[in-house]
Amino acid sequence: MSRKPIIIIASLVFVLAVSSMVELRNTTPALAAFQMEQGDASSALPFSMAASQLGEADDAVAATNQVEPSMQTTSPEKPTFSDLSTSGSSQSGPTGETMVDESALRYFASKGDLKRLKAEIARLQLIYPSWVPPTDPMAIDAKPENESGAFWSLYSDGQFAQLRAKIVEKQQQEPNWLPPESLMSLLAQAETRQRIVNGSDLGQYELVTKLAATEPRLLTCNDVDILWRVAEAFVKTQRPQRGIDAYQYVLAQCDDQQERLATVLKAAQFLPYGSVQNLIEMIDPQTNGYDAMMSNLARQFVANANENASLEISPHYVERIEKLAKDGARAEDFGLMGWYNWLHGKKESAEPYFRAAKAKKDSADISQGLALVLMEKGEVGEAEELLYPWRKETSEAQEAYESAAIGLLSSDPIKDIEEAVLNRIATEAVDQKSTVIARQFGWYASHFKQFDTALVWFQTALDWTVDDEPAAYGLALSYQALKKSDEFASLWDKWQRRSDRIAKLQPPRRGDKAKGGVAAVNCHNRSAPSGASA
């Protein structure tokens, strides 16, 4: 049986854990494109996207990265995948020294934005290793031209299309004017980042890897979210080892401990169990938040084992969930343990966990698990009652409810079911056009010798599924019991070559009359609902 409901619950816990452990970038794409925590250029060395494993970018990718001809001379060349130290364009002064565009520094200084100022310094050091940043960044000439400031303002607000339009307008007015080199470089970088995020959100994973290869400056510890997206894209495009490489890059190169913990949690969503164990070993157990990470990983692994019973996980993950459940923090932990015991040979231990989970926070998944335990014990009445309110929540809950209803109708010995329960089961059978429940109603009515009612239910089942042999057989028996020789003969002619047991039935003698009538004592005068057809 599919364990998708509990996987959804565990995944929700999982995502909440990731978002609580690391603040993902909610800022503008422009800020996220170059937001760096440290000014040391060595901390920004990018994750290597091996070109041999990527293939050539297609025409669509090339088109999305194209820069207007009037702007191309001002933006630096894309750095190569393996050596950023030689990438980027520069200008040389009279003595051959590199002339670095510091317009972004002046703009961020004018706004008092120390964080972005440090980020720009780190970016320039990466592109121009020989460039020496100012000793006091906030003391530099912080008065950019008004028009240049307007360009940077559009960039900072993420209004990239408007910015490009304004640059084109300015160049049309002044053909010899060139936009700041750093602005064009950062703009191209931010636009690529935006396309990577959009491609990732839309599941266009091949596009994500190709775009990332065009802008390796994004593949650093300064933008872990992009590294996560690239890693996911590798896994989703059948290159899991490259995805592992990206996650390992974060764990080996990045200093933010919460991002490192969140990286392992992210990886566990996409990588096999064994691969994640290797990543866990790269985390210091003394790290603040390590225990919370391990608890959420345990939830994920136990949920995976509930989905795939052949997956063998370390007992310490199960023991951790068992302890979490006993501590009583989450209904989901009780549910995980209930399902784990049910699916892994400890059915007798499942019921207390399901009942504890239900008492704490009921759900379709929890009621489904408890109902299965009850049906195993023969307590189908309670199972049907438990599942009825949840039957429409999921397809699994619907299937479980139908199983409970059928089990109740077919109990051995047969049960005298309350009329209210019979009514709701019958209504559900008609709503869902459940051939199996309709057929079982026929047998239930037949047991109490209510052959008219049985006939209606068997005929209804056969209307819903025209080739349902059990319904046809039940209908034939009903015709026999009611001495309906003409109807029996017609049915027998239609089915005698398809059903041996129908072929062996003897038709009633013409002129015989049915004896007795509809037994009403034990079935509460039960008849088919108006929605059923005769």
Side-chain angles (χ1 to χ4, degrees):
M1 179 173 290
S2 173
R3 296 286 1 101
K4 289 181 181 177
I6 203 68
I7 284 287
I8 293 171
I9 294 171
S11 296
L12 177 60
V13 172
F14 189 89
V15 170
L16 290 174
V18 172
S19 59
S20 66
M21 292 177 70
V22 55
E23 181 182 356
L24 299 183
R25 288 147 177 83
N26 296 321
T27 54
T28 64
L31 175 57
F34 59 76
Q35 196 170 47
M36 299 181 178
E37 298 297 334
Q38 301 182 25
D40 182 4
S42 64
S43 68
L45 293 177
F47 169 69
S48 176
M49 300 280 288
S52 62
Q53 293 170 303
L54 292 173
E56 296 297 327
D58 55 25
D59 293 339
V61 177
T64 58
N65 286 288
Q66 198 168 23
V67 180
E68 294 292 334
S70 58
M71 305 178 197
Q72 278 187 324
T73 57
T74 66
S75 86
E77 297 177 1
K78 302 292 186 196
T80 61
F81 301 157
S82 59
D83 186 7
L84 284 179
S85 65
T86 60
S87 63
S89 62
S90 62
Q91 299 174 355
S92 297
T95 60
E97 72 275 11
T98 300
M99 303 294 291
V100 177
D101 176 9
E102 298 182 354
S103 58
L105 290 180
R106 290 193 296 273
Y107 175 76
F108 296 135
S110 72
K111 298 297 181 182
D113 193 338
L114 182 60
K115 188 173 185 178
R116 289 185 174 185
L117 189 62
K118 288 182 177 180
E120 176 62 6
I121 289 173
R123 188 187 72 86
L124 292 175
Q125 285 181 312
L126 180 63
I127 299 174
Y128 310 113
S130 61
W131 176 72
V132 178
T135 304
D136 184 359
M138 299 302 291
I140 65 174
D141 181 11
K143 295 180 181 179
E145 299 176 7
N146 291 336
E147 193 166 38
S148 176
F151 291 141
W152 282 109
S153 179
L154 288 172
Y155 167 79
S156 296
D157 292 340
Q159 300 182 47
F160 304 140
Q162 295 90 325
L163 174 55
R164 286 203 177 275
K166 188 172 180 64
I167 291 172
V168 170
E169 179 183 355
K170 175 69 173 177
Q171 288 184 318
Q172 289 173 344
Q173 295 171 353
E174 301 179 30
N176 294 327
W177 177 82
L178 294 177
E181 179 186 19
S182 57
L183 175 64
M184 297 310 298
S185 177
L186 288 173
L187 175 58
Q189 187 175 332
E191 288 174 328
T192 299
R193 185 189 194 280
Q194 191 174 60
R195 287 193 288 272
I196 289 174
V197 171
N198 291 341
S200 176
D201 290 344
L202 293 172
Q204 298 172 348
Y205 299 114
E206 287 287 359
L207 179 63
V208 169
T209 58
K210 291 176 180 179
L211 287 170
T214 70
E215 192 56 86
R217 287 173 296 181
L218 292 173
L219 307 179
T220 70
C221 297
N222 310 303
D223 198 345
V224 169
D225 182 50
I226 291 297
L227 287 167
W228 288 343
R229 292 174 184 273
V230 170
E232 178 188 357
F234 275 129
V235 176
K236 293 292 180 64
T237 53
Q238 287 71 56
R239 290 170 285 183
Q241 185 54 53
R242 295 296 290 133
I244 293 171
D245 292 343
Y247 291 125
Q248 287 179 332
Y249 170 90
V250 176
L251 298 177
Q253 301 296 327
C254 303
D255 297 327
D256 188 301
Q257 295 303 317
Q258 298 311 303
E259 287 184 340
R260 286 161 51 79
L261 295 174
T263 295
V264 179
L265 290 174
K266 277 282 187 180
Q269 296 182 60
F270 310 114
L271 294 179
Y273 171 80
S275 298
V276 180
Q277 305 314 300
N278 295 332
L279 297 180
I280 294 172
E281 293 178 1
M282 299 179 70
I283 300 290
D284 184 354
Q286 302 304 313
T287 302
N288 182 32
Y290 179 87
D291 190 64
M293 178 196 75
M294 293 301 294
S295 293
N296 282 289
L297 287 173
R299 292 185 175 103
Q300 182 73 16
F301 296 145
V302 171
N304 290 346
N306 290 344
E307 177 72 15
N308 177 13
S310 65
L311 175 64
E312 294 185 8
I313 63 175
S314 173
H316 75 79
Y317 291 119
V318 180
E319 292 165 3
R320 180 178 282 265
I321 296 300
E322 187 172 19
K323 182 179 183 304
L324 289 169
K326 289 180 178 178
D327 289 343
R330 301 172 186 254
E332 292 83 358
D333 293 333
F334 285 109
L336 284 169
M337 281 306 303
W339 280 114
Y340 188 85
N341 286 328
W342 174 259
L343 296 166
H344 293 83
K346 298 180 180 179
K347 292 185 177 182
E348 69 284 353
S349 302
E351 183 174 357
Y353 285 107
F354 283 132
R355 290 200 180 276
K358 182 176 176 61
K360 189 167 281 291
K361 183 181 178 182
D362 199 4
S363 67
D365 188 75
I366 297 303
S367 289
Q368 181 184 340
L370 181 54
L372 290 176
V373 173
L374 294 172
M375 284 190 278
E376 180 85 357
K377 296 166 61 178
E379 299 173 13
V380 289
E382 185 181 354
E384 185 275 337
E385 184 178 1
L386 277 174
L387 287 167
Y388 182 76
W390 300 103
R391 68 197 185 285
K392 296 188 184 301
E393 290 292 314
T394 66
S395 60
E396 289 88 353
Q398 182 67 51
E399 292 173 8
Y401 176 75
E402 290 192 7
S403 295
I406 292 165
L408 183 58
L409 291 170
S410 60
S411 299
D412 185 15
I414 201 77
K415 296 180 184 295
D416 185 9
I417 305 170
E418 293 181 6
E419 187 170 3
V421 176
L422 287 171
N423 281 331
R424 73 187 182 203
I425 296 174
T427 301
E428 188 67 16
V430 173
D431 287 346
Q432 298 296 321
K433 288 184 167 52
S434 173
T435 298
V436 180
I437 294 182
R439 188 202 309 146
Q440 200 59 53
F441 257 122
W443 294 121
Y444 185 79
S446 295
H447 174 82
F448 293 105
K449 301 187 184 306
Q450 294 186 4
F451 298 116
D452 285 313
T453 299
L455 185 151
V456 173
W457 278 112
F458 284 129
Q459 182 62 65
T460 299
L462 202 55
D463 289 343
W464 289 338
T465 307
V466 296
D467 58 350
D468 189 69
E469 190 274 345
Y473 180 66
L475 184 59
L477 293 178
S478 299
Y479 285 147
Q480 274 190 326
L482 294 168
K483 310 302 183 185
K484 292 180 177 289
S485 56
D486 292 342
E487 291 87 344
F488 178 91
S490 176
L491 182 71
W492 190 88
D493 287 341
K494 185 184 296 184
W495 280 91
Q496 53 95 11
R497 288 185 176 84
R498 290 189 281 169
S499 170
D500 289 340
R501 58 180 177 170
I502 292 177
K504 292 176 182 177
L505 293 177
Q506 295 297 318
R509 293 192 301 271
R510 293 183 183 276
D512 282 354
K513 295 181 179 179
K515 295 180 181 180
V518 177
V521 177
N522 291 325
C523 296
H524 322 287
N525 289 313
R526 177 69 201 142
S527 60
S530 59
S533 58

